[in-house]
């Protein structure tokens, strides 16, 4: 089952304390969570085991204790297993992920300049194959790395997935 709680560690993961058992967002997995340049947590999208997914953004200004919905003006479709980063400028980038009810993986990049309230598609078909389960990070020079991932179905003894062992860099904030 999808979980619906928030935990925090102050000792590098040795011990964990539940911050809230019932945040404002519905239970989900495969979300993206970033700490913004303004020190707010932003939770984006995610999915359910019944093949539904969310296209939403929630914000916490108190280290995860309370959450409020941020946006209904999204340029991205419901998805899970996507990746997101917060840039030094305060902009947010969200990439890829698996679409609701399908094994279709995105090769799209979406950006927000206002803390997740409004979003625009910055590009699709940007060079890397559509994927989910990938990671992104921002380097000290402000460039963004997108690493690895997979697309397709695996589990229950079946494997119809394509796996990626590649690294892509963007020096223009995802454009």
């Amino acid at each position: 089952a999808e979980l619906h709680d928030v935990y925090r560690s102050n000792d590098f993961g040795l011990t964990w304390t539940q911050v809230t058992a019932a945040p404002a967002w519905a239970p989900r997995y495969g979300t993206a969570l970033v700490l913004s340049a303004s020190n707010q947590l932003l939770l984006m999208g995610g999915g359910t085991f019944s093949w539904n997914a969310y296209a939403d953004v929630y914000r916490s200004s108190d280290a995860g204790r309370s959450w409020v919905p941020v946006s209904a003006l999204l340029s991205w479709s419901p998805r899970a297993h996507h990746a997101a980063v917060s840039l030094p400028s305060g902009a947010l980038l969200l990439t890829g992920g698996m679409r609701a009810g399908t094994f279709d993986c995105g090769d799209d990049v979406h950006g927000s300049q206002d803390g997740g309230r409004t979003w625009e598609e910055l590009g699709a078909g940007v060079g890397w194959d559509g994927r989910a389960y990938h990671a992104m990070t921002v380097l000290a020079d402000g460039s963004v790395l997108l690493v690895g991932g997979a697309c397709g179905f695996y589990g229950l003894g079946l494997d119809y997935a394509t796996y990626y062992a590649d690294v892509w860099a963007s020096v223009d904030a995802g454009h």
Side-chain angles (χ1 to χ4, degrees):
E2 301 86 13
L3 297 177
H4 191 224
D5 48 9
V6 178
Y7 285 80
R8 180 179 180 160
S9 175
N10 292 319
D11 58 7
F12 301 102
L14 293 175
T15 60
W16 293 85
T17 304
Q18 189 174 55
V19 175
T20 183
W25 36 270
R28 61 190 68 199
Y29 72 98
T31 64
L33 178 69
V34 299
L35 181 64
S36 73
S38 60
N39 205 34
Q40 297 180 352
L41 292 170
L42 295 162
L43 179 123
M44 294 162 267
T48 70
F49 288 111
S50 59
W51 287 97
N52 292 319
Y54 298 99
D56 55 9
V57 179
Y58 283 83
R59 179 185 66 236
S60 175
S61 300
D62 58 7
R65 288 185 289 281
S66 62
W67 296 82
V68 295
V70 173
S71 180
L73 299 172
L74 304 175
S75 61
W76 43 276
S77 60
R79 62 190 63 205
H81 309 296
H82 46 288
V85 292
S86 178
L87 301 173
S89 66
L92 303 170
L93 291 180
L94 181 139
T95 62
M98 193 172 286
R99 306 297 195 265
T102 73
F103 296 116
D104 178 39
C105 295
D107 63 349
D108 49 350
V109 179
H110 300 264
S112 175
Q113 298 287 338
D114 58 9
R117 285 184 288 284
T118 60
W119 292 80
E120 65 175 312
E121 185 173 31
L122 303 176
V126 293
W128 40 269
D129 291 337
R131 64 192 63 205
Y133 310 103
H134 56 291
M136 287 195 329
T137 194
V138 179
L139 300 178
D141 66 1
S143 61
V144 177
L145 291 184
L146 181 143
V147 179
C151 188
F153 176 79
Y154 54 91
L156 305 173
L158 302 172
D159 189 349
Y160 300 110
T162 300
Y163 300 93
Y164 299 100
D166 52 358
V167 179
W168 292 80
S170 174
V171 294
D172 61 358
H175 291 275

